[in-house]
Amino acid sequence: MTNYTKLPAVLLLEDGTVYHGKAAGKIGTTTGEICFNTGMTGYQEVFTDPSYFGQIMVTTNAHIGNYGVNDDEIESGDIKIAGLVCKNFNITYSRKMSDKSIQDYFQEENIVGISDVDTRSLVRHIRDKGAMNAIISSEVLDIEELKKTLAEVPSMAGLELSSLVSTKEPYFYGKEDAEHKIAVLDLGVKKNILRNFDHRDVYAKVFPATTTFEEMEKWAPDGYFISNGPGDPAAMPYAIETVKKVLEADKPLFGICLGHQLLAQANGIRTMKMFNGHRGLNHPVKNIIIDHCEVTSQNHGFGVVPDDVKNSDKVEITHINLNDNSIEGIRVKGKKAFSVQYHPESSPGPHDSRYLFDQFVDSMQKN
């Protein structure tokens, strides 16, 4: 395990609020939109979720790193968060099956963090003031200098980020002789989504984010999956156009998270930047079609405009969030196309939402 001396570090928020703490991970400087996740476990899955690309993560759980890092517990090829803010950064870990400490992990991945921060105070501040940009530094402690750097960081609203985390070349996942095959538009897809398709005898071909419908259709898939991912859905006209063409071709379609927002956009429903977003493992959602409640995992800073959905003659609401009544699921009338805002491949319920994968597979059954 790496010998580590905690050096001073500073966190500066866009509104001028300053928090002092200790350096965690790589010594350096990082910027991004600050957000918080309320999950008690699963920090490694959170860190590697491509939907967090460009964001500084605040963990509300007091201990991060206490069970180490296992190379099998990742959702993508590397860490995607821009930086970490936590209370206790535990370099010593207790789990025998872990491969390394979180400090070694962060140093290998060049991730800058800050620990020994009053995260209760910080989360309350973000909750009241809303999402904003922030900067962490363990190499520059001069606040005025940091303010100059932070002022140059663009807002998350209007940013197209999916093409930065998407695969560069198509690849396959699953068994080639599976009963069904699907085209996956990779906007930042998590590995466990692909595992869930594989478990249901589905062979997936994963395409780069900007792939056209015509190019994917050459593979003659039985259905299309539009993945999760980072950034503003309104800044992705290429993906909106692809979803529109899938619908015009009357193909089965399933979208998760960003895929949900893009399905809405393709049907004339606007999306919006949320005040704080939903990020955690215990968000209650109700399927209003079958009167079924689910405990869900969520990670999104954008959502669909509720009034647009309610007034639409193209889609109907299937799921609502029981905390704030936001729209968590829609389906397109007369089509085999539906989406959810949350992550059914995760396991907070633990399997409350896995039926959605079965529903998609059923929609591909040939008559």
Side-chain angles (χ1 to χ4, degrees):
M1 186 178 297
T2 302
N3 292 324
Y4 183 66
T5 301
K6 289 191 172 183
L7 301 174
V10 63
L11 167 68
L12 170 66
L13 305 187
E14 189 176 0
D15 66 359
T17 305
V18 177
Y19 288 84
H20 294 278
K22 301 296 183 181
K26 179 188 176 183
I27 301 301
T29 301
T30 189
T31 62
E33 182 184 72
I34 196 163
C35 63
F36 60 88
N37 185 294
T38 58
M40 295 292 288
T41 61
Y43 52 76
Q44 193 176 343
E45 291 90 338
V46 169
F47 297 160
T48 56
D49 180 350
S51 296
Y52 281 119
F53 184 77
Q55 294 181 308
I56 292 175
M57 170 57 58
V58 182
T59 51
T60 62
N61 187 30
H63 297 281
I64 298 299
N66 53 309
Y67 57 83
V69 171
N70 187 307
D71 291 337
D72 291 334
E73 296 173 357
I74 58 174
E75 290 291 352
S76 64
D78 52 22
I79 296 177
K80 292 300 191 296
I81 60 170
L84 173 70
V85 183
C86 65
K87 176 63 177 174
N88 299 309
F89 191 72
N90 300 103
I91 299 174
T92 302
Y93 57 90
S94 58
R95 189 173 56 159
K96 292 182 179 179
M97 65 187 296
S98 292
D99 301 305
K100 67 192 75 169
S101 73
I102 193 169
Q103 174 62 23
D104 290 338
Y105 188 41
F106 272 33
Q107 286 187 183
E108 290 173 7
E109 300 271 347
N110 296 316
I111 302 299
V112 175
I114 181 172
S115 68
D116 296 77
V117 171
D118 183 352
T119 49
R120 282 177 64 94
S121 168
L122 175 57
V123 169
R124 287 171 67 92
H125 184 83
I126 300 169
R127 186 189 64 188
D128 293 343
K129 301 298 183 179
M132 65 184 81
N133 286 334
I135 184 170
I136 300 171
S137 186
S138 49
E139 61 181 358
V140 178
L141 303 181
D142 183 275
I143 301 302
E144 295 305 314
E145 192 68 28
L146 293 176
K147 284 182 178 179
K148 294 177 184 177
T149 303
L150 183 56
E152 298 175 0
V153 179
S155 168
M156 184 65 73
L159 283 186
E160 189 284 309
L161 299 176
S162 286
S163 61
L164 301 179
V165 299
S166 176
T167 182
K168 303 307 178 187
E169 298 292 336
Y171 66 91
F172 296 94
Y173 194 99
K175 300 178 289 292
E176 191 172 356
D177 60 349
E179 181 179 0
H180 301 289
K181 61 180 188 178
I182 63 169
V184 175
L185 189 64
D186 176 18
L187 308 174
V189 69
K190 294 169 65 179
K191 286 188 176 180
N192 204 36
I193 291 175
L194 301 178
R195 292 189 198 104
N196 270 275
F197 285 129
D198 184 31
H199 292 163
R200 287 162 177 80
D201 203 23
V202 173
Y203 185 48
K205 185 173 183 180
V206 184
F207 292 90
T210 55
T211 308
T212 64
F213 167 73
E214 291 79 7
E215 185 63 30
M216 290 189 287
E217 185 65 9
K218 291 177 183 178
W219 193 55
D222 300 316
Y224 287 82
F225 175 73
I226 313 300
S227 84
N228 61 292
D232 187 343
M236 302 174 64
Y238 65 89
I240 296 170
E241 182 63 23
T242 297
V243 174
K244 285 181 178 179
K245 290 187 176 181
V246 174
L247 295 175
E248 289 171 3
D250 205 21
K251 300 287 186 175
L253 181 149
F254 179 28
I256 288 178
C257 201
L258 180 60
H260 165 75
Q261 298 157 14
L262 292 170
L263 181 60
Q265 283 272 359
N267 284 280
I269 296 167
R270 292 170 296 169
T271 51
M272 61 182 182
K273 184 81 166 62
M274 301 175 73
F275 188 66
N276 263 317
H278 296 155
R279 299 177 181 90
L281 308 179
N282 60 348
H283 290 252
V285 167
K286 183 176 182 179
N287 182 327
I288 61 176
I289 304 299
I290 60 175
D291 198 30
H292 167 79
C293 291
E294 308 164 30
V295 177
T296 70
S297 174
Q298 303 211 9
N299 168 23
H300 60 105
F302 291 84
V304 300
V305 176
D307 286 344
D308 282 13
V309 181
K310 295 171 184 176
N311 296 328
S312 174
D313 59 357
K314 295 181 179 179
V315 306
E316 61 181 328
I317 300 169
T318 59
H319 299 73
I320 59 170
N321 189 299
L322 295 178
N323 284 334
D324 60 9
N325 290 318
S326 57
I327 308 301
E328 293 282 357
I330 59 174
R331 65 185 181 190
V332 181
K333 297 177 181 178
K335 303 281 186 181
K336 294 179 179 180
F338 67 98
S339 61
V340 290
Q341 182 63 80
Y342 53 96
H343 283 268
E345 81 285 351
S346 296
S347 305
H351 299 145
D352 292 6
S353 308
R354 296 287 173 88
Y355 69 91
L356 292 161
F357 289 97
D358 299 324
Q359 185 175 316
F360 179 51
V361 172
D362 289 343
S363 74
M364 294 187 288
Q365 297 293 343
K366 298 178 174 64
N367 297 326

